[in-house]
Amino acid sequence: MNFLSYQSVPAILKDNSRKYAKRTAISYNKRGVFLSLTYEEFYERVLMLARGLKQAGVQRGDRVAIFSENRLGWAISDFGVQSAGAITVPIYATNTGKQAAYVINHCEAKVVFVSTQTQYEKLYAIRDQIPNVELVISYERFMGERSFPVYTQYQLSEVERPLTETETAMIEKQIDEIRQEDIITIIYTSGTTGVPKGVLLTQRNIMVNTTHGLKRVGSSTLPQTFLSFLPLSHVLERTGGYYMPLLTGNHIAFAENVQKVMENMMEIKPTNMVSVPRLFEKIYSRIYENVHQASSFKRNLFHRAVEVGREYVQKKYVTKEPLGLLELRYKFFDKLVFKKVRERFGGKIKYFVCGGAPLDKTINEFMWIIGLPVFNGYGLTETSPAITLSSFDIIRFDSVGKPLHETEVKLADDGELYVKGPQVMQQYYKNEEATRETIEDGWLKTGDIARIDEQGYVYIIDRKKELIVTAGGKNIAPQPLENELKLDKFISDAYVYGDGKPYLVALLTPNLERLIDLGRELGIHYIDIEELVTNEKVMAVYTRRMEAFNAALPPYKTIKRFAVLPREFTIDGGELTPTLKLKRKEIYNKYKDIIEELYIKAGNGVVRRPKADNERLETSVSASKMH
C-alpha cells in the first residue's frame, strides 16, 4: 500500500471512514471493559472536535499540546488538531509540570489537552509559567480552578449536536488543503543529554515511513489488531503502532497501562505489536520462570524443543537451507510446547516490531524459536522513526536489519552512523544551531556507533555519547554488557559504569521472584528485600554468576565490582525513560555514592568467590546506603 498517493494522514482517515465504515477502528478500556468505535464513528468524533477547535479560534499552523497517556481521547485530539489545520505537540504523561511548561512555551501552544485531573493539576501548579495558554481541555470531567478553567473534549466537540452538511464540508475542505510538506507534529526529544529539542516532522515524513515499513514487513489482506502500550508521545509507537493500523484500515486497541500489557494481550488477542526490548525481556524471563518451576520431564522437553527450534530458525530464516525432516521435528515440538506458550500471549501474534534500544541476540532468537517473530529495527525521532528494519526475509538476530527503501546509510571515520532519506526531519524547531550540528550536506548524524556488514545488515553498537572510555583508554559499549547481564535469571536490570575509571562496575536490580525463591532455598531469614540482597549467601551466588559472566570476556570488559539494589529501575523512580531505556545520567546521580564506594572499597578490585565463611564479600555496599 502506497500512502504517498494521498496528501496527508487525515486525508487517508477520511477515505478509510467510507471504505471501512463499519469496521472497528479503535478499542479502549473503560472501567474494566473494552469498548470500541468504528471508522465511521471515529471519523465523526474527529470532525466534531475539529469543529470545536475552529470555533475556539485555532488557526492553521497553530501548535496544540496533548499531555496524556494513550487513550481514545488522544487519538481524537491528534486527528482533530490536524483536521483543523494545526500541529500536534505530544507531551509524555510522566513529565512533571515544569517539563511540560518548557514544551508548551517553546512551541507556543495556546491550547493544551490533558487526560485527567492529575495532569491538569500539574499545569495548575505552574500556571504562572505558561501565561500564553488560553484553553485547557480534559478527556475526563472534574472541577477546575476558577482562575484556570478546564473544559471537556466532549463539551468542545458538542458531541450531542450532529454535524451539519455545511460543517462537514468546511472541515473536509481544510483536510483537502493539507499538503505533504506541512508539519504534522513537533516531537520533543527526552532531553537526557541536554535541553529537549523539538523535531519537526511532515505529513510526508510519516507517510513515507509507514509506506516503506509496510513494504518491508509485508501487508496483509486479513484484518489485524494492534495492541498499543508504548506512549504515543514517542515516534516509534506513533508511526508503527498507531498510524500504521489506522491508515491500513485495521484495528488498534489501547492497553490499560504498561503493567497490564500481558493481561490485555489475553483479552485483545492482538496480531501485531510494537514494543521496546523490555517487553521481550519480561516474556523471556516469565517463560523461563515457569520452566524453572515445572517438573524435570517438562523442563527437559522444553529445552529439547528450544534446541530443535534454534536449528530450525537458523536454517529457515538465516542460512535458508533445506529443512528436510527438521521441519517435521519442529512442527512436533511447536504443537506440543510452543503453541501452548503462544496462547499465554493471546495466541494470534503474527509478529512484533522492536525498536528504541538494542534487543539482545539471545532473546530475539528465542522469540523466533517459540513462533513469536520480532522484526528488530532502528531509528530516531528525527527519522520518523525507522531507518532500518528486519523481516522474514531479512533477519540476523543481532542486527537491526537493512535500510528501508530510498534510505542511504554510511559510517563516519569514528564509526558513527549517518543517514539520508525522505523520512529525515526538516529541522529542529527554533534551533538552527542544533540543526546545523546534526545535518551536514544532507546527511543526518545519528549519534550511534554502528557497523555494516558486506550484505548490508546494520549492527548498532551503542550511543556515541554513552561509550565508556576507561582510565586505560579502552572504549567500551555498555549496552551489550547490560543486555547480556539481564539474561541471568537473578537479574532484572543492569547498569554498567566506568568512564575515566580503571575498571568497570555494575549496579544490578534483582529478579524479585527468583531472589525470594533463592532466599527460601538457602534458608535465609530476613526482614525485607534490602536485607536479603546484602546477605552473604545471596551475594556469594551473585558473585559466582558474575565470575561466569566475566569468564567469556577480555579482561578490560569484565565487571570487577557490583552492587545489587533492593528495587527495580522504574519510570517513576527516574531511572527509565517513558520508553523504558536507562537514563544513565540520572542513575549515576541517584546512586553516585554506591558507585563511587565500589571503587573506594575495591582493594585490588577483583570480583572473587569468598575463601572462608567468615570472609565478608566486598561486592555490595550495605543496604543503608541504598535509598
Side-chain angles (χ1 to χ4, degrees):
M1 184 177 291
N2 186 357
F3 301 123
L4 297 174
S5 59
Y6 294 89
Q7 284 296 316
S8 72
V9 167
I12 300 173
L13 179 66
K14 172 187 164 185
D15 198 16
N16 287 353
S17 72
R18 281 132 195 178
K19 284 198 299 186
Y20 310 116
K22 303 303 180 184
R23 186 183 286 187
T24 300
I26 295 181
S27 294
Y28 58 99
N29 191 283
K30 188 172 183 179
R31 300 186 184 92
V33 179
F34 274 93
L35 306 176
S36 62
L37 289 181
T38 64
Y39 272 87
E40 184 178 55
E41 293 167 336
F42 176 59
Y43 183 61
E44 182 181 32
R45 292 287 300 275
V46 166
L47 296 185
M48 286 178 169
L49 180 59
R51 173 182 66 185
L53 289 169
K54 296 305 288 187
Q55 290 174 349
V58 172
Q59 302 294 315
R60 182 178 176 85
D62 282 356
R63 278 73 63 199
V64 177
I66 302 178
F67 192 16
S68 168
E69 63 285 340
N70 295 9
R71 53 189 296 165
L72 174 65
W74 205 108
I76 293 173
S77 296
D78 176 42
F79 277 95
V81 167
Q82 292 183 59
S83 298
I87 298 167
T88 302
V89 183
I91 303 174
Y92 284 111
T94 53
N95 276 13
T96 64
K98 183 179 179 181
Q99 290 169 326
Y102 176 84
V103 173
I104 290 167
N105 290 332
H106 190 265
C107 76
E108 302 173 86
K110 296 179 181 178
V111 178
V112 182
F113 285 88
V114 297
S115 54
T116 62
Q117 187 169 357
T118 299
Q119 304 300 67
Y120 166 82
E121 287 174 352
K122 289 181 185 178
L123 296 185
Y124 179 70
I126 49 95
R127 63 194 181 282
D128 294 338
Q129 299 174 38
I130 48 174
N132 294 324
V133 173
E134 299 173 356
L135 182 63
V136 178
I137 308 159
S138 173
Y139 302 145
E140 296 181 3
R141 189 183 299 275
F142 55 84
M143 290 295 293
E145 299 293 333
R146 184 173 298 178
S147 61
F148 196 63
V150 58
Y151 303 90
T152 67
Q153 183 168 269
Y154 193 91
Q155 289 173 315
L156 185 67
S157 301
E158 296 182 273
V159 174
E160 294 176 345
R161 182 169 72 85
L163 288 157
T164 66
E165 289 185 11
T166 302
E167 288 172 334
T168 299
M170 179 194 72
I171 299 164
E172 291 192 333
K173 182 176 181 293
Q174 290 172 176
I175 292 174
D176 293 340
E177 289 172 350
I178 303 172
R179 303 268 73 87
Q180 289 188 3
E181 60 270 19
D182 289 339
I183 303 300
I184 186 174
T185 189
I186 305 175
I187 301 179
Y188 282 78
T189 58
S190 61
T192 55
T193 58
V195 177
K197 298 186 288 289
V199 177
L200 290 180
L201 297 178
T202 65
Q203 296 281 345
R204 179 173 172 79
N205 285 148
I206 298 295
M207 291 192 295
V208 160
N209 219 235
T210 50
T211 295
H212 295 335
L214 191 63
K215 182 179 180 181
R216 174 62 54 87
V217 302
S219 58
S220 173
T221 56
L222 298 175
Q224 300 174 72
T225 295
F226 288 66
L227 181 63
S228 170
F229 79 96
L230 293 181
L232 289 171
S233 307
H234 190 271
V235 71
L236 173 61
E237 184 67 24
R238 182 89 164 275
T239 299
Y242 165 69
Y243 286 137
M244 181 78 80
L246 291 177
L247 299 191
T248 52
N250 284 300
H251 171 209
I252 178 173
F254 290 122
E256 291 176 76
N257 52 56
V258 174
Q259 288 71 36
K260 290 196 173 183
V261 170
M262 300 288 194
E263 181 182 324
N264 290 161
M265 287 178 75
M266 287 295 293
E267 295 175 271
I268 295 298
K269 302 185 187 307
T271 58
N272 313 78
M273 283 180 67
V274 174
S275 182
V276 290
R278 192 62 176 156
L279 174 66
F280 309 118
E281 293 164 3
K282 291 286 188 183
I283 289 174
Y284 180 87
S285 177
R286 175 175 289 193
I287 290 173
Y288 272 99
E289 184 67 36
N290 291 332
V291 171
H292 171 70
Q293 296 172 358
S295 66
S296 60
F297 173 78
K298 289 185 176 180
R299 284 201 304 271
N300 291 334
L301 180 67
F302 179 82
H303 292 312
R304 179 60 183 149
V306 170
E307 286 177 17
V308 172
R310 181 173 291 111
E311 184 182 0
Y312 173 80
V313 298
Q314 184 72 23
K315 288 186 176 180
K316 181 176 175 66
Y317 299 109
V318 180
T319 60
K320 296 179 172 58
E321 299 175 51
L323 298 174
L325 291 177
L326 178 61
E327 187 164 19
L328 291 176
R329 292 168 63 203
Y330 178 79
K331 286 182 177 179
F332 169 78
F333 283 113
D334 184 65
K335 186 174 182 180
L336 196 63
V337 178
F338 300 143
K339 183 179 179 183
K340 294 175 182 177
V341 173
R342 293 194 296 272
E343 286 172 353
R344 297 175 189 172
F345 304 101
K348 292 187 176 181
I349 286 285
K350 302 302 180 187
Y351 64 80
F352 291 94
V353 171
C354 178
L359 175 62
D360 183 83
K361 176 184 178 180
T362 301
I363 293 177
N364 192 7
E365 183 182 47
F366 176 76
M367 295 297 293
W368 282 74
I369 288 170
I370 64 175
L372 296 174
V374 177
F375 297 155
N376 207 10
Y378 165 75
L380 309 168
T381 303
E382 290 86 344
T383 57
S384 314
I387 296 170
T388 68
L389 187 61
S390 301
S391 70
F392 286 113
D393 297 319
I394 299 173
I395 180 67
R396 296 289 183 274
F397 299 118
D398 53 347
S399 167
V400 292
K402 294 182 179 182
L404 294 180
H405 182 60
E406 295 186 287
T407 303
E408 299 176 65
V409 294
K410 69 177 183 179
L411 298 179
D413 292 340
D414 62 359
E416 182 178 0
L417 187 68
Y418 285 17
V419 60
K420 181 187 290 186
Q423 71 271 56
V424 174
M425 69 170 184
Q426 271 196 348
Q427 60 187 33
Y428 291 117
Y429 186 53
K430 295 194 295 188
N431 196 335
E432 293 182 7
E433 181 181 354
T435 303
R436 286 194 301 271
E437 291 175 354
T438 304
I439 300 178
E440 185 178 289
D441 297 328
W443 290 92
L444 182 135
K445 304 174 184 178
T446 66
D448 286 304
I449 302 298
R451 70 179 179 87
I452 304 171
D453 70 16
E454 294 177 354
Q455 295 176 295
Y457 284 92
V458 178
Y459 302 80
I460 301 300
I461 296 171
D462 215 325
R463 291 292 295 168
K464 186 176 178 179
K465 291 182 179 179
E466 292 175 0
L467 287 179
I468 294 170
V469 182
T470 65
K474 296 290 187 181
N475 283 23
I476 302 170
Q479 284 189 1
L481 295 173
E482 291 160 353
N483 288 339
E484 190 72 21
L485 282 167
K486 287 187 289 185
L487 293 177
D488 189 285
K489 64 181 181 180
F490 291 114
I491 298 173
S492 173
D493 220 331
Y495 165 82
V496 173
Y497 180 82
D499 208 38
K501 300 291 188 179
Y503 52 83
L504 302 181
V505 299
L507 298 181
L508 310 177
T509 67
N511 179 324
L512 292 177
E513 290 182 11
R514 284 287 179 91
L515 180 64
I516 291 169
D517 285 346
L518 177 64
R520 190 182 301 115
E521 290 171 11
L522 297 175
I524 299 172
H525 299 287
Y526 58 94
I527 297 174
D528 53 26
I529 298 298
E530 291 192 15
E531 184 176 342
L532 182 59
V533 297
T534 55
N535 182 277
E536 287 190 14
K537 292 181 180 179
V538 169
M539 291 313 305
V541 171
Y542 276 92
T543 299
R544 287 194 294 271
R545 302 185 81 84
M546 187 63 80
E547 286 177 335
F549 171 81
N550 284 335
L553 296 171
Y556 71 92
K557 280 190 178 181
T558 57
I559 307 298
K560 299 296 193 297
R561 306 278 300 160
F562 67 92
V564 183
L565 305 178
R567 53 181 291 274
E568 291 190 342
F569 294 147
T570 63
I571 296 172
D572 292 340
E575 299 100 343
L576 301 179
T577 69
T579 52
L580 309 180
K581 289 186 286 189
L582 295 182
K583 297 173 84 171
R584 310 194 76 87
K585 189 180 294 184
E586 284 76 2
I587 291 173
Y588 176 77
N589 289 335
K590 185 171 184 176
Y591 300 104
K592 182 178 180 180
D593 290 346
I594 296 175
I595 293 168
E596 294 302 328
E597 194 164 354
L598 289 175
Y599 289 103
I600 294 169
K601 283 193 171 184
N604 63 10
V606 177
V607 171
R608 53 192 172 81
R609 189 176 294 123
K611 295 179 181 178
D613 291 340
N614 63 353
E615 181 180 353
R616 297 190 62 83
L617 278 168
E618 295 275 81
T619 51
S620 177
V621 295
S622 66
S624 62
K625 299 283 185 181
M626 299 182 186
H627 292 163

